[in-house]
Amino acid sequence: MQPSAVPELAHTRARPIHWVATATAVAGVVALSSLVRPGSATAAQPTTPAHDGTTAAAAAPPGTTGVDFPLECGPVKAVVARKASGDLDGDGRPETVAVVHCDAPMGTPPDGVYVLTRGADGGGPRVVATLVEPRQRLTVTDFTLRARTVTATLLGYSSDSVPSCCPDLKTPATWRWNGSAFLRSTPAGAHSV
């Protein structure tokens, strides 16, 4: 390497102060990026104009309390592990998607994923679709609802001989309403062990 003949270019050498300044700038960018994030799915819907020109309050999403989930738990009760709300079908009323399993004292009970809605008359919440059946022996992780799409990672088993403690398959899945049913899609080659 040839040394610089021009003293004005002495600033091109990296000195410790340059590294400190760079590290400080990177830390500032990381700190700022942790404060600025996209919002998560919320139950709040924007207000919409009513027929008389005033604004009507958005409908509250259906809750999970008191819902009779199609899940056989025997002497233990069903537990809602996760839930998210949003307008999945574009009708202006929010739905709630719930990940539910039996409150087993040991092991990893399988999850069921259910879509809840409330009738136009404002009645109680009810299950209108099942996205994951508990009999499939899947555990749901990375569960989100965003942009009218439900996304999750499903942990499962390659055979009945795999112990319930140790799922050996991991599959990403998404569900989206097509106007008459929720369609599940899985990226090609997405199964991993």
Side-chain angles (χ1 to χ4, degrees), residues 69-70 84 88 95-100 111-116 127-136 138 140 143-145 148-152 154 173-178 180-186:
F69 293 102
L88 292 171
E95 288 77 31
T96 296
V97 182
V99 178
V100 184
D111 289 321
V113 180
Y114 306 102
V115 179
L116 307 171
V127 175
V128 293
T130 300
L131 305 181
V132 174
E133 297 263 358
R135 65 180 165 80
Q136 294 173 290
L138 298 172
V140 177
F143 172 75
T144 61
L145 188 159
R148 296 175 55 183
T149 301
V150 178
T151 305
L154 306 175
T174 60
W175 294 267
R176 188 163 178 84
W177 181 253
N178 74 350
S180 60
F182 284 97
L183 294 181
R184 177 180 166 183
S185 61
T186 302

Side-chain angles (χ1 to χ4, degrees), residues 31-40 146:
L32 183 61
S33 69
S34 68
L35 296 175
V36 179
R37 310 180 219 182
S40 60
R146 184 172 285 130

